[in-house]
Structure formats: C-alpha cells, structure tokens
Amino acid sequence: MDGLGATRDTTTAHDAVWTPGAVARQLGIAPSTLRSWHRRYGVPAATGGSGPHRRYSEHDLAALTHMQELIADGVGVPAAARLAFPMTGTSPAVDALVTAALDLDADLLLTILDARIAKDGVSGTWERWCRPALAVFGGRLDSGREHVGECIDVLHLLAWAISAALQSVRGSASELGNPTVLLACVPGEHHTLPLEALRAVLAENAIPARLLGTGLPATAISRALKRTAEPADALVLWSQRPGATPFSIARACQARGTSLFLAGPGWTSPAPSGLPLVNSLDEAASALRACALRHGTDQLETTHNRCGGIGRRAISLSLATDPA
C-alpha cells in the first residue's frame, strides 16, 4: 500500500524521543500492531529508522492517539490513518467534510457542499469530494457492501447532506416540464445517491429528469413510463448489486419508444442483452444528451414527413457538433 507521505508537522529528528515500545504502551496496543500500521498504512514517524531504531515525537504520539480514537469511534483503520496523518496535497474540502460529519454539523456540511458545487459543478464535487468523504466511513458506493463500523450515524448524516445539496440544483423554469429522462432503481435497490447526483448533473445541462425513488417493482416502473404526457427519451436503471436482467422493463421501454440505459456496479460488462452501460456521471450525461438530441431529430423528421417544412441537414449538423 502506498505510504501516506510526510506529516504536516515540522518536528525534526532531534525532537523524537519516544521508542516504539514506549508509544505502544502509551496507546495500550501491542508493538506488533504499531509495526503493522507502519507497514500497511505508511504511518510515519519523526525518524525513519526501522524496528527499535525508529523514534517518535510528541506530535507523532498525538497523531497516533487521534488515529486510535477514530478507530474506537468506528472509522476504519486505513481511513483513520489518512485522517490522522494526511497525505501531502490532500484535499482540504474532503478533510472539512469528514470533520463536519464527525461533529454532526449539518449546517457546515451544507455550506461546504453548496460552495463546492458552485465552484466545481456537480460532477466535480461528487467525484472529488463526496465519494472520498463517504469512503472514509465505509460508505463506498461502488463496493456493494452494507455500511461498516460504528459510524453509521455519521455516514447517514453525510449522505443526507449530500442529498440535500444535490436536490438544490434545479433546472431553469423552461426545463421543468415533461421529463426527458426517468431515473429509477431496480426492484429492491435502495441506493439512490448516485442517481440523485445524475439528476443534478442533468439539471446543470438543462435536461429535465425525474427520480422515481427506491425499491420500485418492475410493474411500477413500467407504469411510470406511460404516465408522462410525451414519451421520455430515456430511462436510467441503477443497480448496486448483481441481479436479474429487467426484461419486462426493457419491453416497456421499447413499447414506449424510450431508450434504456443501465448504471451501477451491479451490472456486468458487457451489459446484458447488449443494453448500453454508463460508468460515470460525465459519460451518462453525454449519452443522455445525445439521446435527447436523437429523439428530437426523430420528432422533427416526423414533422418534416408530415409538413415538408424542415430539412434534416441542419439537424444532422447539430448532432455532429454536439460535445457529446
């Protein structure tokens, strides 16, 4: 495993007076545990000697004590090491999110997230700040695991704050009519944060979308496809865990003229039945933007066939120059 880099303290080797045995006794852990932290997580010391020749400063001891407190609070050992001994160049925003979450400071979480979204956009905030902060508490959205450790309360508050910040991203008034894209989880799925992030990205791109929520049965998703005044251009189906291919939903999409996209780690690659699989927010946004343009072209083509008033050449040019 990669080391964690130098600490932010300016302690010199001259200040390092604690032996490994003394530090282990002070922390109440076995010396082998301390050695394991060095070997596996790159925990640094004031002097870089090996074994009994390594020495620790007061700053090192304080950081190790903080690391042990984080572990006692339920933070995983790798994450506790990252927090107690930050890497050189680590993101202050991620550190601030983690600290605010541990303090259960919902207002500060929202303030940080709103500022990051305003500066970096939804996709940048999600990839660089939200996912790393969630991972600290065992909430890796790509791991397929349930929450781990004793920080579930902290993780839930952090997830709530991320969700609230994403929901505040809205499209313009002219884009809030009939949804172009529907977003849904497969039956029995309860992870919605990635879809909430995708909805916000689509709002930034002026693509109307509706998030249908968690745990909908296939029949409910099929009915939702029929409820919109105009057929939706696309349905994005999220799956966190491997499951059955949604053939009934695929048939409902085909009958309605709606393109079906799969997203999430639950789908194998290549995707079942040749259905398109999107692997990131930016990839999904590009695919859905192109899908909306394609459906718009089909609608204009129908108008042209009926009225003879619109040529296809200009439409093809708009597709060719679209950044998607």
Side-chain angles (χ1 to χ4, degrees), residues 29-41:
I29 61 175
S32 60
T33 299
L34 187 59
R35 289 195 298 271
S36 174
W37 289 356
H38 282 286
R39 184 176 65 256
R40 299 183 61 183
Y41 310 117

Side-chain angles (χ1 to χ4, degrees), residues 184-203:
C185 297
V186 296
E189 177 60 65
H190 298 285
H191 292 79
T192 62
L193 268 184
L195 285 184
E196 293 179 50
L198 177 55
R199 186 216 60 80
V201 167
L202 294 176

Side-chain angles (χ1 to χ4, degrees), residues 215-304:
L216 286 180
T219 52
I221 296 175
S222 298
R223 283 196 297 268
L225 289 165
K226 301 176 183 178
R227 293 187 191 278
T228 57
E230 297 292 335
D233 294 336
L235 168 68
V236 178
L237 201 57
W238 172 268
S239 179
Q240 181 74 17
R241 296 176 178 80
T245 302
F247 289 115
S248 63
I249 297 175
R251 288 192 294 268
C253 286
Q254 185 176 21
R256 190 65 167 156
T258 297
S259 299
L260 176 60
F261 292 86
L262 306 181
W267 306 111
T268 58
S269 183
S273 303
L275 294 171
L277 177 65
V278 291
N279 295 299
S280 69
L281 287 182
D282 289 338
E283 181 183 342
S286 295
L288 293 169
R289 187 165 55 244
C291 180
L293 284 168
R294 185 170 62 253
H295 279 257
T297 299
D298 292 341
Q299 292 174 0
L300 289 174
E301 179 74 6
T302 300
T303 302
H304 170 71

